[in-house]
C-alpha cells in the first residue's frame, strides 16, 4: 500500500512538474469526474493537490502510471470523447503561461503581430491537415572543435503560415503542445530530418542530424515504436541521428526516463541533453541516463569571456563530462572571444551564430561546400 501510494504520488508529481498545472481524472465507465483540480483556480497548494490526487487514484484503484497523454490531445473540456478503452483517463490541463488559456487569449508573435488563440489554433489545425506543407525544417551547423568541421546539424522547425507569416518555434511549439498538435509536427520534423540526413549521407556527406523531441512526445506510450518506424521507413543510419531531450523532462522521474532512453538508444541513435544548466539536474543524472552529449545552455556562456563564474562552470562541466565519457556542446556562441574561452576549455562542439544561423537545407549544403565539408 505504501509503495503504491509512493508510485501514485511520484507519477502525479511528475505530471505536475512537467506537463501541467491541473489534473482531471475520469472514470471511463460512467464518465464521472473522480478527481479534478487546478492550482490556478484553487488556493490549494501543489503538494496537497498531488497528495489528494494520489489518494484518489488509490481509492479508485487507478494506475496513474498508465496515464495516456494522447487522451489530452483529443480532450475538450466541454465534450469528452472516449478514444481508448482504458478504464481510466487522466487528462492534464497544461498551461504554458501558468495562467488559464482561454479562447480569447491573445498571442503576440515575435514579429509583433497579435492574434487570438482560437485564430492560431484554427490555422495550425488547417496547416496540419494540409499535409504540413507550411512547416519547414531549418538546419544549424554544429562544429566539432577537434577539426573545425561541421559534423552535426540541428533540425529546427519554422512555420511559414499563409495567414501569420513566418513564425519561429518559440511562438508556436508551446501552443502546439497545449493544443495536442505537437505529435503531428514532431513526427513531421523527425521524418523530414531523417530523410534529409539519409540524402546527405548518400551524397557522401558524413553528417549527423540532431532532432528536438518535445516533452509531450517523449511521454507518449508508443514513442519508441514511433521512432523505430520512422528510422526504418527513411532508412537513415540510426548512428547518424541524435535526439535532444530537455533537462526538466529528464530529471523528474529518473527511473521512467532511464528506461525510455535505454529503449530509444537500443535503436542505435544517440541522446543529447538540451538546455543543460537551466533546470536542476546534476551530472549524476547524466551518468545514470547514459547520455552521449550535453548541450550547455546559452545563458551560461553569454559572458563567458568576462565572467569568472561562467568560466569555472564551463570548466567543471567539461571536466566532469569527460570523466564519464559524455561530450559537451555549447549553444549560442556569438563572438570570437567566447569561442576562444570555450576552445581553451576543450569543449567538444560549438553551435551558434558566430558560425552560422539556422538555414534551409539547400543553403546548408552550399554552406558546407564553402566551409570545407
Ligand atoms: P533549442 O533547442 O535550444 O535550439 C537552439 C535555439 O537557439 C534555436 O532557436 C537557434 O536558432 C538559437 N540559436 C542558435 N545559436 C544562437 C546564437 O548564437 N545566438 C542566439 N541568440 N540564438 C542562437 P529557434 O530555432 O528559434 O528554436 C527555439 C526553440 O524551439 C528550440 O530551442 C527548441 O526548444 C524549439 N524547437 C525548435 N524546433 C523544434 C522541433 O522541431 N521540435 C521541438 N519539440 N522543439 C523545437
Ligand atoms: Ca535543441
Ligand atoms: Ca538548447
Amino acid at each position: 500500500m505504501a509503495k503504491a501510494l509512493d508510485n501514485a504520488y511520484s507519477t502525479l508529481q511528475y505530471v505536475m512538474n512537467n506537463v501541467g498545472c491541473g489534473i482531471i481524472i475520469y472514470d471511463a465507465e460512467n464518465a464521472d469526474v473522480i478527481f479534478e483540480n487546478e492550482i490556478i483556480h484553487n488556493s490549494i497548494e501543489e503538494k496537497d493537490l498531488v497528495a489528494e490526487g494520489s489518494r484518489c487514484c488509490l481509492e479508485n484503484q487507478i494506475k496513474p502510471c498508465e496515464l495516456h497523454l494522447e487522451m489530452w490531445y483529443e480532450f475538450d473540456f466541454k465534450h469528452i470523447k472516449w478514444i481508448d478503452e482504458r478504464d481510466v483517463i487522466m487528462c492534464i490541463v497544461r498551461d504554458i503561461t501558468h495562467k488559464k488559456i482561454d479562447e480569447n487569449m491573445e498571442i503576440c508573435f515575435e514579429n509583433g503581430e497579435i492574434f487570438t488563440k482560437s485564430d492560431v489554433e484554427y490555422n495550425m489545425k488547417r496547416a496540419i491537415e494540409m499535409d504540413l506543407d507550411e512547416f519547414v525544417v531549418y538546419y544549424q551547423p554544429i562544429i566539432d572543435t577537434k577539426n573545425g568541421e561541421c559534423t552535426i546539424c540541428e533540425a529546427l522547425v519554422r512555420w511559414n503560415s499563409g495567414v501569420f507569416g513566418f513564425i519561429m518555434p518559440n511562438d508556436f511549439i508551446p501552443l502546439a503542445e497545449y493544443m495536442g498538435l505537437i505529435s503531428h509536427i514532431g513526427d513531421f520534423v523527425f521524418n523530414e530530418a531523417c530523410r534529409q540526413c539519409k540524402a546527405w549521407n548518400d551524397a557522401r556527406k558524413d553528417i549527423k542530424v540532431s532532432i528536438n523531441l518535445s516533452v509531450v512526445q517523449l511521454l507518449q506510450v508508443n514513442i519508441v515504436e514511433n521512432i523505430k518506424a520512422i528510422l526504418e521507413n527513411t532508412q537513415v543510419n540510426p548512428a547518424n541521428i541524435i535526439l535532444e531531450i530537455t533537462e526538466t523532462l529528464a530529471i523528474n522521474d529518473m527511473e521512467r526516463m532511464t528506461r525510455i532512453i535505454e529503449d530509444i538508444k537500443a535503436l542505435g541513435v544517440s541522446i543529447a541533453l538540451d538546455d543543460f544548466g537551466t533546470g536542476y539536474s546534476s551530472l549524476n543524472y547524466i551518468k545514470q541516463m547514459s547520455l552521449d552529449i550535453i548541450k550547455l545552455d546559452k545563458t551560461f556562456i553569454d559572458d563567458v569571456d568576462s565572467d569568472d563564474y561562467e568560466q569555472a562552470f564551463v570548466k567543471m562541466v567539461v571536466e566532469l563530462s569527460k570523466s564519464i565519457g559524455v561530450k559537451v556542446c555549447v549553444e549560442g556562441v556569438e563572438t570570437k572571444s567566447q569561442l576562444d574561452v570555450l576552445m581553451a576549455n576543450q569543449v567538444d562542439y560549438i553551435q551558434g551564430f558566430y558560425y552560422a544561423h539556422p538555414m534551409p537545407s539547400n543553403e546548408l549544403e552550399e554552406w558546407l561546400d564553402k566551409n570545407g565539408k
Side-chain angles (χ1 to χ4, degrees):
M1 181 75 178
K3 176 116 180 58
L5 185 62
D6 268 4
N7 283 343
Y9 185 89
S10 75
T11 305
L12 284 172
Q13 182 77 61
Y14 177 67
V15 170
M16 299 299 301
N17 288 345
N18 287 292
V19 279
C21 54
I23 293 176
I24 301 176
I25 302 169
Y26 287 90
D27 185 327
E29 289 272 272
N30 50 19
D32 279 351
V33 174
I34 48 182
F35 177 73
E36 176 174 21
N37 226 322
E38 274 183 81
I39 299 173
I40 40 175
H41 292 314
N42 298 283
S43 50
I44 185 166
E45 294 260 334
E46 184 171 319
K47 63 178 175 15
D48 296 336
L49 172 60
V50 171
E52 201 186 315
S54 311
R55 249 193 317 279
C56 161
C57 286
L58 278 178
E59 280 161 13
N60 293 281
Q61 300 193 311
I62 297 165
K63 287 182 233 130
C65 296
E66 290 185 356
L67 69 93
H68 256 203
L69 281 185
E70 295 95 305
M71 300 303 172
W72 170 46
Y73 300 165
E74 302 291 322
F75 180 69
D76 174 329
F77 255 110
K78 288 166 221 108
H79 313 102
I80 300 164
K81 286 192 240 161
W82 302 113
I83 52 165
D84 191 293
E85 66 279 307
R86 275 164 195 272
D87 40 5
V88 172
I89 294 180
M90 176 187 264
C91 292
I92 298 139
V93 183
R94 181 170 197 260
D95 188 336
I96 44 170
T97 58
H98 296 281
K99 287 189 211 113
K100 179 136 180 70
I101 292 192
D102 63 45
E103 289 311 308
N104 301 318
M105 191 187 97
E106 293 187 328
I107 293 165
C108 179
F109 286 144
E110 215 175 85
N111 63 15
E113 292 201 63
I114 296 175
F115 299 92
T116 65
K117 178 195 161 262
S118 47
D119 270 348
V120 182
E121 177 166 10
Y122 173 77
N123 285 291
M124 199 185 286
K125 279 190 178 144
R126 262 193 64 231
I128 288 169
E129 278 158 17
M130 295 184 322
D131 295 335
L132 294 117
D133 284 349
E134 291 187 344
F135 295 92
V136 194
V137 182
Y138 274 41
Y139 297 89
Q140 185 179 28
I142 298 177
I143 308 300
D144 188 333
T145 55
K146 263 201 322 282
N147 49 20
E149 288 184 359
C150 168
T151 51
I152 307 175
C153 58
E154 180 173 0
L156 295 156
V157 69
R158 276 91 182 88
W159 178 16
N160 198 359
S161 161
V163 177
F164 308 122
F166 196 77
I167 311 291
M168 297 302 278
N170 282 337
D171 282 339
F172 70 89
I173 293 276
L175 213 62
E177 289 174 334
Y178 174 78
M179 295 187 309
L181 300 172
I182 188 67
S183 59
H184 299 281
I185 299 172
D187 283 356
F188 164 79
V189 173
F190 199 88
N191 238 308
E192 181 53 27
C194 288
R195 188 201 60 73
Q196 184 61 74
C197 183
K198 159 93 173 136
W200 282 331
N201 294 159
D202 285 351
R204 298 217 189 81
K205 284 195 172 64
D206 188 15
I207 195 159
K208 299 184 182 191
V209 176
S210 199
I211 307 166
N212 293 284
L213 269 199
S214 149
V215 172
V216 181
Q217 282 176 279
L218 207 59
L219 286 173
Q220 285 170 341
V221 279
N222 60 349
I223 181 69
V224 180
E225 292 81 42
N226 199 18
I227 291 175
K228 185 165 183 253
I230 296 176
L231 292 172
E232 282 172 4
N233 289 343
T234 55
Q235 297 193 312
V236 69
N237 178 0
N240 287 340
I241 297 296
I242 302 164
L243 296 182
E244 300 193 6
I245 61 172
T246 57
E247 191 186 10
T248 24
L249 170 66
I251 58 161
N252 277 295
D253 185 339
M254 277 307 295
E255 222 176 277
R256 182 191 176 118
M257 269 308 121
T258 312
R259 209 176 47 241
I260 296 175
I261 288 171
E262 270 167 15
D263 291 348
I264 294 177
K265 280 194 72 158
L267 302 173
V269 302
S270 307
I271 304 281
L273 188 62
D274 205 356
D275 305 335
F276 182 77
T278 56
Y280 304 95
S281 71
S282 81
L283 287 156
N284 272 339
Y285 293 122
I286 294 168
K287 191 172 176 195
Q288 273 182 53
M289 288 201 303
S290 67
L291 297 163
D292 301 285
I293 299 175
I294 65 170
K295 300 189 74 172
L296 197 53
D297 193 71
K298 179 176 183 311
T299 45
F300 287 90
I301 59 108
D302 276 343
D303 299 313
V304 77
D305 47 355
S306 56
D307 184 315
D308 288 347
Y309 173 78
E310 285 190 5
Q311 268 182 44
F313 185 74
V314 171
K315 192 168 178 322
M316 176 198 76
V317 172
V318 170
E319 276 171 9
L320 286 172
S321 302
K322 280 205 162 57
S323 73
I324 55 171
V326 174
K327 304 263 192 214
V328 177
C329 173
V330 177
E331 310 184 276
V333 178
E334 293 181 348
T335 65
K336 175 80 168 64
S337 57
Q338 287 172 334
L339 179 70
D340 289 344
V341 175
L342 296 168
M343 294 294 272
N345 279 286
Q346 298 181 313
V347 306
D348 301 285
Y349 301 105
I350 304 273
Q351 175 179 8
F353 296 168
Y354 177 74
Y355 285 110
H357 285 248
M359 55 192 120
S361 57
N362 59 333
E363 285 178 29
L364 184 90
E365 284 163 20
E366 286 166 23
W367 188 92
L368 288 173
D369 288 343
K370 258 196 229 127
N371 291 274
K373 268 240 81 175

